[in-house]
Amino acid sequence: MEKTFDSHKKSNAFAVSITALFMALNILMSSFGVPVPGGRCYLNDVIICTAAILLDDPKAAFTVGGVGAFLGDLFFYPTPMFVSLATHGLQAVVICLIAHKAAHRKVTFKNAALGVAIGAIIMVVGYSLGRAFIYSTPYYAYLKLPYQILQAAVGAIGSLLLCFHGGLLKAFQKIQQK
């Protein structure tokens, strides 16, 4: 019985550590972006989508995506921080649920691709609505829309390449088994 407790404790420590690592990477990637008309294009979507594919806990995915983006915005550009919390949090949860639950815990490329595609739509729609609300004009949201789509596509494609072509998913699963 004691051995089970130690194994469970190690598993929890691993999950918390990985969640914290991805959240820190999300905050780091929120600190800089490529300048585009109407703002910047950030690469933190790659981290959010990758974490959501790898993590099998929707709460951990929300923490990485929503809370990580919220803190990144709080530190570097606080205006859209609540939009980031809701949008990236929902995006990460949906990706996690589709990638893991639809496949009965076994992540497949098909389910991960479906998850990141739906997550990209959530991100684009969420930020477009958020910008229109925050800045009180739909024009600003339209101006930024092509770059939001680009950011979502880079995040989706980058995460799929890292997880499946780069072997990150297999390495992550191997580490989890130890």
Side-chain angles (χ1 to χ4, degrees):
M1 190 67 137
E2 192 173 312
K3 185 167 175 93
T4 305
F5 177 75
D6 289 340
S7 173
H8 181 67
K9 187 176 180 180
K10 181 180 177 185
S11 171
N12 283 341
F14 177 76
V16 169
S17 299
I18 291 297
T19 301
L21 174 68
F22 276 118
M23 194 164 79
L25 287 170
N26 188 5
I27 294 168
L28 177 70
M29 295 304 282
S30 296
S31 68
F32 60 92
V34 179
V36 296
R40 295 183 165 283
C41 187
Y42 295 95
L43 299 175
N44 64 331
D45 273 68
V46 175
I47 302 300
I48 293 166
C49 293
T50 301
I53 291 170
L54 296 177
L55 300 171
D56 62 355
D57 180 11
K59 291 178 282 189
F62 180 84
T63 302
V64 170
V67 177
F70 176 87
L71 291 173
D73 284 349
L74 177 68
F75 298 146
F76 305 110
Y77 184 65
T79 305
M81 65 188 182
F82 290 105
V83 174
S84 295
L85 175 68
T87 302
H88 282 307
L90 181 60
Q91 173 192 17
V93 168
V94 166
I95 294 169
C96 177
L97 289 173
I98 292 173
H100 291 274
K101 306 300 183 205
H104 303 292
R105 296 265 190 225
K106 182 171 173 29
V107 179
T108 63
F109 180 81
K110 178 182 167 186
N111 288 340
L114 177 63
V116 297
I118 293 171
I121 293 168
I122 290 169
M123 197 278 284
V124 170
V125 170
Y127 268 97
S128 295
L129 292 174
R131 276 197 175 77
F133 177 75
I134 289 174
Y135 299 108
S136 300
T137 175
Y139 177 74
Y140 186 74
Y142 293 137
L143 178 69
K144 184 80 177 193
L145 186 62
Y147 303 105
Q148 285 302 137
I149 294 169
L150 176 66
Q151 180 175 327
V154 168
I157 293 167
S159 66
L160 290 171
L161 287 173
L162 280 172
C163 289
F164 292 96
H165 184 66
L168 189 59
L169 180 63
K170 285 182 183 178
F172 187 76
Q173 290 170 342
K174 194 173 185 180
I175 290 170
Q176 275 186 312
Q177 292 173 353
K178 289 185 178 185

